[in-house]
Amino acid sequence: MRIIASIMTVILATPTFASTYERPIPQAQSATAEFWYAMACIALVAAMIAVQQLVARR
C-alpha cells in the first residue's frame, strides 16, 4: 500500500498537472483611492508632529 501511495504522489505531483503562473495585472487607482491615500498621508504626518511635540516637552 505504501508503494502505491508513493507512486500516486509522484504521478500527481508532476508539472503536467500544475497550472501555469499568471501574473496579476495591476489596476489603475481611482480618484477616490488617491484622495483617501492623501488623507492617510496627512494624518500620518500630523500624528508624527504631535508625537514629536509630546516627546520634546518631556
Side-chain angles (χ1 to χ4, degrees), residues 8-26:
M8 290 301 292
T9 303
V10 170
I11 290 173
L12 291 176
T14 57
T16 56
F17 291 109
S19 62
T20 58
Y21 175 72
E22 296 178 15
R23 294 184 65 195
I25 300 171

Side-chain angles (χ1 to χ4, degrees), residues 27-49:
Q27 300 294 323
Q29 281 190 338
S30 64
T32 306
E34 289 181 5
F35 170 76
W36 285 113
Y37 181 75
M39 290 296 111
C41 289
I42 292 169
L44 177 64
V45 170
M48 294 176 96
I49 290 170

